[in-house]
Amino acid sequence: MQRLIIFLFILGFISPCLCARCVKTEEKENTYNVIDYGAHGDGKSDDSKAFVSAWKETCGTKGTSTLIIPENRVFLVKGIALNGPCSATKINIRVQHVNNLSIDGSGGSIDGYGSSWWKCESCGRPTILRFKSCKDLSVSHVSITNSPKAHIRINNCENARISHINIDSPGDSPNTDGIDIYSSKNIFIEDSTIQCGDDCIAISDGSSYINATRIACGPGHGISIGSLGRDGSYETVTEVNVKNCSFSHTTNGARIKTAPGGSGYAKHISFEDIKLTQVENPIIIDQYYGSKHSKVLLTFDEAINLNCCPPGCFNLVLDNIDIVSSKPGKPVSCSCNNAHGKVTSTHPNCSFSYNQIIM
Ligand SMILES: *[C@@H]1O[C@H](CO)[C@@H](O)[C@H](O)[C@H]1NC(C)=O
Ligand SMILES: *[C@@H]1O[C@H](CO)[C@@H](O)[C@H](O)[C@H]1NC(C)=O
Ligand SMILES: *[C@@H]1O[C@H](CO)[C@@H](O)[C@H](O)[C@H]1NC(C)=O
Ligand SMILES: *[C@@H]1O[C@H](CO)[C@@H](O)[C@H](O)[C@H]1NC(C)=O
């Protein structure tokens, strides 16, 4: 039996518009609306008790249950704990179309009890925290462990600050991305540690102005742009700055992946002040992602791998890079296909053709 136990302190949970939508499933859903438990939603009354009562029912119901926080109201909720264990096998709390939502975990944690889900690849595994169409979001001081799938997903949001987050799932847990970002703008992720079984941060189509600063990633698959252009689609990512981050025991460091047959672009992407410790593919651009031309690196001596398809990747700048093997004395190399740009002070050195095009 799957269990989802949530233990979360929410302080100053204030929003002009809060709502929850339930997932459509075949099962009949039991819904619990905080209004029915005495919440006023007037922005003045303390609605904490009503939230806790509604949660108790949500948690105590067998099967799938959904906690409803209706829109067009302001709820004041302080220091509540949404505790398990629950009888429900699936609980939905959806945050959608919310402005100025702030979740301060105050050091609390959410455990997704993912291990029972990881074995089941065909199960619709849930993401722990999903934000959709939110403006001015802040999430801080919370630990999220063992998610069945991604830990945090940000979709179609603008202006979000995610800070002092600790994500922790085993390095071999499947598809457990740390933070997934889609179609979002001005997202700042700072001062956090991410240990997981997939990308620490994955930045996908329609995203721009994404900064990740002081992130310790590993184990995990690094910080990735894409994949973009799957199934022939047009997808773009622009203005991504990853700064002062460390990768330790990860499969990748800085990665951009695009699928053959797609179109679009990844531009103005920078990785700066990056520290690598035992990283298998520190710098990798793979324009053949998911195809047989994708380079699955079996020998970890290619520290830099820029596998671009014709006409190529342009305006690349490699500067002040020093990557050595974790095995003392073992040489490392750079492999480039169709890479154009500038290389200075880079070890291992890469042979680029200097060639700029105006895009
Ligand atoms: C969020 O709150 C700030 C300050 O209270 C306000 O200026 C801003 O307009 C709000 N944002 C939205 C999208 O409502
Ligand atoms: C995002 O990163 C870029 C490059 O480091 C920096 O110029 C910009 O000020 C950052 N934005 C914020 C809001 O921190
Ligand atoms: C980088 O981050 C570390 C903490 O993760 C901090 O101690 C250090 O001062 C930062 N370096 C720069 C140049 O900001
Ligand atoms: C590194 O490679 C570039 C491009 O091929 C070349 O211009 C440069 O001289 C090389 N640097 C060193 C130190 O070998």
Side-chain angles (χ1 to χ4, degrees):
M1 186 188 282
Q2 322 284 14
R3 288 193 302 170
L4 177 65
I5 298 183
I6 300 185
F7 180 70
L8 170 68
F9 286 110
I10 302 175
L11 295 175
F13 187 85
I14 307 170
S15 165
C17 162
L18 273 174
C19 61
R21 296 273 150 78
C22 29
V23 212
K24 290 260 179 297
T25 58
E26 273 102 51
E27 270 179 84
K28 193 184 174 300
E29 286 177 19
N30 300 292
T31 57
Y32 302 94
N33 191 326
V34 292
I35 296 292
D36 298 334
Y37 294 83
H40 293 86
D42 57 8
K44 291 182 211 121
S45 320
D46 184 349
D47 292 326
S48 307
K49 255 179 84 182
F51 271 66
V52 170
S53 306
W55 169 257
K56 275 191 180 146
E57 294 279 336
T58 309
C59 172
T61 300
K62 289 206 171 75
T64 297
S65 65
T66 300
L67 179 68
I68 306 261
I69 306 166
E71 57 195 328
N72 298 324
R73 289 178 185 260
V74 180
F75 296 96
L76 271 183
V77 182
K78 294 179 203 156
I80 60 166
L82 308 181
N83 281 318
C86 294
S87 311
T89 46
K90 187 172 176 190
I91 293 176
N92 301 310
I93 306 175
R94 282 256 183 135
V95 179
Q96 203 164 332
H97 298 292
V98 173
N99 294 335
N100 270 331
L101 172 69
S102 162
I103 297 182
D104 181 344
S106 298
S109 62
I110 303 178
D111 191 334
Y113 285 88
S115 58
S116 53
W117 295 86
W118 296 331
K119 291 169 226 143
C120 179
E121 264 184 53
S122 58
C123 295
R125 288 177 280 147
T127 292
I128 290 187
L129 281 181
R130 293 166 64 133
F131 301 99
K132 195 172 177 201
S133 308
C134 297
K135 274 190 185 156
D136 300 325
L137 167 72
S138 146
V139 182
S140 62
H141 299 100
V142 64
S143 294
I144 306 176
T145 54
N146 299 322
S147 183
K149 211 170 173 215
H151 292 73
I152 298 180
R153 188 180 161 114
I154 297 173
N155 187 358
N156 197 31
C157 292
E158 211 178 311
N159 301 330
R161 193 168 292 271
I162 314 290
S163 66
H164 299 96
I165 297 291
N166 175 35
I167 286 172
D168 190 356
S169 289
D172 60 358
S173 54
N175 313 110
T176 53
D177 282 347
I179 302 176
D180 281 346
I181 301 170
Y182 294 83
S183 304
S184 294
K185 198 176 164 183
N186 294 325
I187 311 296
F188 305 108
I189 305 169
E190 301 162 336
D191 302 297
S192 297
T193 59
I194 303 177
Q195 310 177 51
C196 61
D198 208 320
D199 293 331
C200 287
I201 300 176
I203 301 164
S204 303
D205 180 39
S207 298
S208 59
Y209 298 94
I210 313 295
N211 281 17
T213 314
R214 294 179 301 278
I215 306 297
C217 163
H221 296 182
I223 296 185
S224 301
I225 314 295
S227 65
L228 301 178
R230 266 187 290 195
D231 305 319
S233 55
Y234 178 87
E235 297 189 320
T236 67
V237 167
T238 176
E239 308 295 340
V240 174
N241 298 293
V242 179
K243 205 171 173 185
N244 195 8
C245 293
S246 65
F247 296 100
S248 179
H249 299 88
T250 53
T251 53
N252 310 289
R255 177 161 67 152
I256 301 176
K257 42 186 181 173
T258 68
S263 61
Y265 55 81
K267 64 181 177 186
H268 300 156
I269 314 287
S270 73
F271 285 81
E272 225 181 316
D273 300 331
I274 305 296
K275 195 177 162 201
L276 305 160
T277 310
Q278 299 218 9
V279 174
E280 291 172 15
N281 306 298
I283 301 177
I284 177 163
I285 296 180
D286 184 0
Q287 287 212 291
Y288 295 95
Y289 189 71
S291 81
K292 65 181 192 315
H293 300 291
S294 179
K295 277 207 176 172
V296 178
L297 303 177
L298 299 172
T299 58
F300 302 132
D301 55 356
E302 285 180 356
I304 305 177
N305 193 315
L306 309 171
N307 194 16
C308 301
C309 55
C313 305
F314 293 89
N315 299 341
L316 298 173
V317 176
L318 299 181
D319 180 38
N320 204 6
I321 294 173
D322 186 14
I323 304 172
V324 296
S325 175
S326 57
K327 296 196 180 75
K330 195 167 183 268
V332 291
S333 62
C334 168
S335 153
C336 305
N337 287 313
N338 306 305
H340 307 276
K342 206 173 164 184
V343 189
T344 43
S345 311
T346 290
H347 177 271
N349 198 15
C350 300
S351 53
F352 276 16
S353 42
Y354 188 72
N355 186 349
Q356 277 188 305
I357 58 161
I358 309 300
M359 294 172 85

